[in-house]
Amino acid sequence: MLPRGRPRALGAAALLLLLLLLILIGFLLSGGDLACERREHRGPGPYPCALTPRVPPDGPPSVDHPGPRRSDCAPLRPLPRKCELLHVAIVCAGHNTSRDVITLVKSMLFYRKNPLHLHLVTDAVARSILETLFHTWMVPAVRVSFYDADELKPQVSWIPNKHYSGLYGLMKLVLPGVLPPDLVRVIVLDTDVTFASDIAELWALFAHFSDEQVIGLVENQSDWYLGNLWRNHRPWPALGRGFNTGVILLRLDRLRQTGWEQMWKLTATQELVTLPATSLADQDIFNAVIKGHPGLVQPLPCVWNVQLSDHTLAERCYLEAADLKVIHWNSPKKLRVKNKHVAFFRNLYLTFLEYDGNLLRRGLFGCPSPPSPEAEQLQRALAQLNEEDVCFEFRQQQLTVHRVHLTFLPHEPTLSRPHDVTLVAHLSMDRLQMLEVLCRHWPGPMSLALYLTDAEAQQFLRFVEASVVLSARSDVAYHVVYREGPLYPINQLRNVALAQVLTPYVFLSDIDFLPSYSLYDYLRASIGELELGGGRKAALVVPAFETLHYHFTFPSSKAELLALLDAGSLSTFRYHEWPQGYAPTDYARWREAQAPYRVQWAADYEPYVVVPRDCPRYDPRFVGFGWNKVAHIVELDAQEYELLVLPEAFTIHLPHTPSLDISRFRSNPTYRECLQALKDEFHQDLSRRYGAAALKYLTALQPPRGPT
């Protein structure tokens, strides 16, 4: 028999245990952790008292004392108000850096929950690329403003800079005077950073600024500013290890009030008396200013700028992947940098590099944003489509707005020669092997539109970099049109390539044709002899031939071509499948011709032609296979272009496997019915624009038998 007092003792112990358990549960529910302490919240935000990591005794979190990681503590920070607009500034110049910006923006869009306003300081090249890209990307709740970097050069050109970024690497210094005067806060990013978290969490760190602090920076994660990396190393002055400027939080209102422009210019002038140049561009000057005015800086947690430089100490900053917020590829070696965890970082970067940007067109839940007029018009047109229509696929593809990345690779156009001609063509990944041989046949400028996925665009980039022939050509402009939808937008691709031509004339070709070796020079000479520059409207016809042999000796002259034609190694193009497409060229006459001769338009005629750059554009309604070139020649004839066949010109089609669209055309009656419907609509539009003059094109509306 138990003593009477024992149950009371057990009851008291149980009560105490229950009380401790309730306290622990309450503490956990409140977001607490043993590694965190409550601190007075400063600045605006929804949380009057936020939980923050415990600050080590000798200062703020750093690579030596990073404070608790996410694995130890999940501190609550006052996030921005729902739907608050976040401002981001980026300096970008050139073709390659424009590609970097797109990868950075993808990583931001992937995690973001707030509207964004991007402030892009660009040169003319980057503006052309990015303006077109964002216009065609049509991402909801993203605004983009551009600022001319060339206008800012005089403000920083007096500073000697050894950094590879050149003058553009100094332009973050002048942002407070460049950005709109009513803009209070902005996040400034280098183009070589990748987000692994919601940028709103970074924006929330503005709430921790004191009244004096104007700049938020992460400590530099190397010993660069300690001056001990090598003998006679003389870095710019810095506070301790200094700070890295790949990620910056700027209180623009306070910077303007403190006289930031005078402050940094005076500091730079003083330091340049004893130092020959900046080594790390704007970062050296920011650090020199902070050295003299340490109260200006708010140190940020190191995970917001994990720096992968050659001498990085970044691995002290994190314990697991969940700790990472922003990865910074701040070594000139970029992805080739040596690092303990570089494989993980590289995979994160490649994920966004090859990520389908179409998936980022999603709207923000709970944050309605008014669409642009173009987006609103597109939404209305799509809403009017009938999904039960057998031609719905065609209708939808016609309305699709494809993302367009102009001059995907560096492009340096040569000085325009008299009567210069650019070859215009389009291709997808399965025709990539044609590029090298085409470059050998055509020494002049080219404008090519490539229909690729994001991942294929990177394969294409590696293909060009590995090719001696392609790498040597800077006068070939590659424009990536990102794949979306089941049908090949052939005429949209042609229009993209045509719109970027810089020469007065264009040769409208296809990627599976090889022009004669002398065609480029011959076309320029012919344009001059025919005096086309005087306003004469003419389309110069280049006769087309084809071979069924994958390996054959390409003719170097018209005489050699005629010999191959007589021997059966060549034939006139589509002689058996689609004779009406090319018969009006009059090949029998061409054999004997010594001078250009005129031919008349005929139904279904679709020759390859040389025309002025401002010629009519292709009709974008024709997608997939069929009548895409025919419609363009009809338009040229309706606008009274002469058709002149050149006696020494020729181009030869090489054999290849049939495209998916031509296979569908041949096997699917519905496909052919939809093409006929497009032709009917095209003729109705012609009648509206040209009246009675369009009646002769009725004969072009015969049921298709195999156009290209």
Side-chain angles (χ1 to χ4, degrees), residues 168-188:
Y168 301 102
L170 297 163
M171 288 186 179
K172 285 182 283 185
L173 293 164
V174 303
L175 286 178
V178 173
L179 298 176
D182 58 344
L183 185 57
V184 174
R185 299 175 181 85
V186 69
I187 296 173
V188 185

Side-chain angles (χ1 to χ4, degrees), residues 488-503:
Y488 188 75
I490 184 167
N491 279 357
Q492 294 182 43
L493 295 173
R494 286 172 169 149
N495 286 340
V496 167
L498 184 54
Q500 300 309 310
V501 169
L502 302 176
T503 60

Side-chain angles (χ1 to χ4, degrees), residues 354 403 451-459 480-483:
E354 301 186 354
R403 283 180 297 136
Y451 193 50
L452 306 172
T453 65
D454 293 73
E456 287 173 342
Q458 299 309 312
Q459 296 176 40
V480 173
V481 178
Y482 286 102
R483 183 185 293 273

Side-chain angles (χ1 to χ4, degrees), residues 50-71:
L51 288 173
T52 59
R54 177 176 284 115
V55 178
D58 56 345
S62 68
V63 292
D64 291 325
H65 301 285
R69 279 80 167 185
R70 183 184 296 183
S71 51

Side-chain angles (χ1 to χ4, degrees), residues 6 34 43 150 201 225 247 261 289 380 382 388 549 567:
R6 187 63 177 267
L34 297 178
D150 290 334
E201 297 177 35
Y225 286 108
V247 177
E261 182 179 356
V289 172
R380 286 198 300 266
L382 288 170
E388 302 301 321
H549 302 288

Side-chain angles (χ1 to χ4, degrees), residues 257-275:
Q257 292 167 6
T258 58
W260 169 251
E261 182 179 356
Q262 294 78 11
M263 188 183 297
W264 75 259
K265 285 184 176 180
L266 177 61
T267 301
T269 301
Q270 292 172 343
E271 296 302 330
L272 286 170
V273 172
T274 57
L275 291 166

